[in-house]
Structure formats: structure tokens, C-alpha cells
Amino acid sequence: MKDNVYKLVELTGTSTASIEDAVAKAIKRANKTIRNLSWFQVVETRGSIEKGRPLRWQVTIKVGFAVNSTD
């Protein structure tokens, strides 16, 4: 059995709808150019406020993916 090697990329997704939507948008965009996406970790959550209500969510995630072996 081979031992995988993984790479991490940090991304920030944004959404006016929810934290989950911000994460989903970041992963959807990464999936267009990165193969073998395996997992994500939420690193930071923040947002902006307008008129006393959350206006936009910003969620920074680390996305892990397997690096192809050259063996």
C-alpha cells in the first residue's frame, strides 16, 4: 500500500447567504483547477455588518489534496 503525500491550499470563500455557502463556493472554485480534493479545515470565519445585521460571510479554509506520485 502506498503512502500518500498531501498539499494544502488556503482559500477564502464569500457569501451573503451563509457560512456553509461561502465554504461551498471556495471548494467549487478550487475543484475547477485542483484534482484529488480530499478534505477541508475551517481556519477563520468573519463577516461584515450593515444596519445591525450580517451582510457578507468570509470563511478561510485549508483544502487538502493528494499529490500525484511520479513512481
Side-chain angles (χ1 to χ4, degrees):
M1 182 166 102
K2 293 168 68 173
D3 292 326
N4 289 328
V5 173
Y6 294 91
K7 181 171 177 86
L8 293 174
V9 174
E10 193 168 276
L11 307 166
T12 300
T14 63
S15 173
T16 56
S18 68
I19 292 168
E20 292 86 357
D21 189 48
V23 170
K25 286 180 178 180
I27 292 171
K28 182 178 179 181
R29 177 59 185 89
N31 194 52
K32 290 181 179 181
T33 57
I34 301 172
R35 294 183 313 188
N36 305 323
L37 292 176
S38 299
W39 55 271
F40 73 93
Q41 171 187 355
V42 174
V43 177
E44 184 176 15
T45 304
R46 60 189 170 277
S48 59
I49 301 169
E50 186 175 291
K51 297 179 183 176
R53 302 183 104 167
L55 175 65
R56 178 172 300 279
W57 294 98
Q58 293 180 327
V59 182
T60 300
I61 62 174
K62 287 184 181 179
V63 179
F65 58 95
V67 178
N68 287 338
S69 173
T70 58
D71 301 0

